[in-house]
């Protein structure tokens, strides 16, 4: 299997960097203010998009099968918990307000992704009837926790832009 | 499995398991280059499926959750993640 792909151009990196920065700020998240570091990660996201077809986390070893990697498609399922505990996500692409203000420096942090059998995409889906008193099923975005009550999850999370496949049945 | 060799001062057998896309791995390589130590590295994400599985098993011997970077010095001392102070302490002796 050849993993070599066409190198992203500086213009492509810049374009995606600006888009991610805008989306992050609009949703209350922040990209790492170390632009050189952040652009290196954005470049890696583009490489992984070419290699796998999706933004597999650059700092984790992707399987290459989407269902296996679903929880580590950037932004990953673990970003918010790592931001709360360590002020940065696993790669330090996303950082907390204190890092943004220069009060803290991001570091290489421990992995919180559980063993394969405990990952949410392999847990049994909650099927069944809508709970009493609820007229619609409730869906939860596994990336940012956004909840909505409707027949189907939205195509894209209105808060963090995660795709439909990242939603789970909550109620 | 082929490791890449970076020549430098011999501070023991230094092996770095890395990912080509990981910024913490890149920082680790830069630090090793800066320290001028002799080391071997492998970018595990660039391997084919079979070889990749083999290397993951090898990494798990030193780091059961198989995260990157994982650095092994003399088959004994293991440094998980980018830990500049720990790396300096081990390799500036």
């Amino acid at each position: 299997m050849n993993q070599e792909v066409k190198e992203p151009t500086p213009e492509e990196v810049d374009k995606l960097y600006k888009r991610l920065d805008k989306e992050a700020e609009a949703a209350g998240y922040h990209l790492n203010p170390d632009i050189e570091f952040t652009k290196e990660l954005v470049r890696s996201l583009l490489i992984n998009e070419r290699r796998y077809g999706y933004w597999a986390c650059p700092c984790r070893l992707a399987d290459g099968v989407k269902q296996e990697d679903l929880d580590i498609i950037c932004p990953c399922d673990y970003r918010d918990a790592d931001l709360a505990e360590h002020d940065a996500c696993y790669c330090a692409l996303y950082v907390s307000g204190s890092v943004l203000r220069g009060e803290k420096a991001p570091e290489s942090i421990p992995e919180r992704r559980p063993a394969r059998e405990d990952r949410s995409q392999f847990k049994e889906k909650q099927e069944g009837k809508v709970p009493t008193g609820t007229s619609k099923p409730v869906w939860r975005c596994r990336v940012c926790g956004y909840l909505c009550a409707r027949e189907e999850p939205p195509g894209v999370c209105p808060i963090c832009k995660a795709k439909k496949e990242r939603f789970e049945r909550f109620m | 499995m082929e490791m890449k060799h970076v020549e430098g001062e011999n501070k023991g057998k230094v092996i770095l398991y890395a990912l080509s896309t990981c910024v913490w791995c890149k920082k680790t390589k830069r630090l090793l280059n800066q320290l001028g130590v002799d080391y071997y590295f492998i970018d595990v994400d660039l391997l084919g499926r079979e070889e990749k599985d083999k290397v993951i098993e090898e990494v798990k011997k030193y780091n059961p959750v198989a995260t990157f970077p994982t650095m092994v010095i003399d088959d004994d001392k293991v440094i998980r993640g980018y830990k500049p102070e720990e790396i300096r302490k081990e390799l500036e002796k």
Side-chain angles (χ1 to χ4, degrees), chain B residues 31-43:
Chain B
L31 178 59
L32 289 176
N33 295 342
Q34 194 191 325
L35 294 173
V37 299
D38 196 272
Y39 71 99
Y40 290 85
F41 76 91
I42 187 160
D43 285 324

Side-chain angles (χ1 to χ4, degrees), chain B residues 33-89:
Chain B
N33 295 342
Q34 194 191 325
L35 294 173
V37 299
D38 196 272
Y39 71 99
Y40 290 85
F41 76 91
I42 187 160
D43 285 324
V44 184
D45 58 322
L46 299 179
L47 302 174
R49 167 83 50 188
E50 226 170 85
E51 237 183 341
K52 190 159 85 172
D53 289 344
K54 227 187 281 172
V55 179
I56 295 170
E57 287 314 308
E58 197 177 303
V59 178
K60 279 183 178 167
K61 283 193 285 181
Y62 304 105
N63 175 3
V65 285
T67 52
F68 302 92
T70 292
M71 191 192 291
V72 185
I73 305 167
D74 285 331
D75 287 320
D76 171 45
K77 173 76 189 170
V78 183
I79 302 177
R80 302 168 186 89
Y82 174 63
K83 303 276 158 56
E85 277 156 40
E86 216 178 317
I87 295 169
R88 282 178 193 278
K89 200 182 110 209

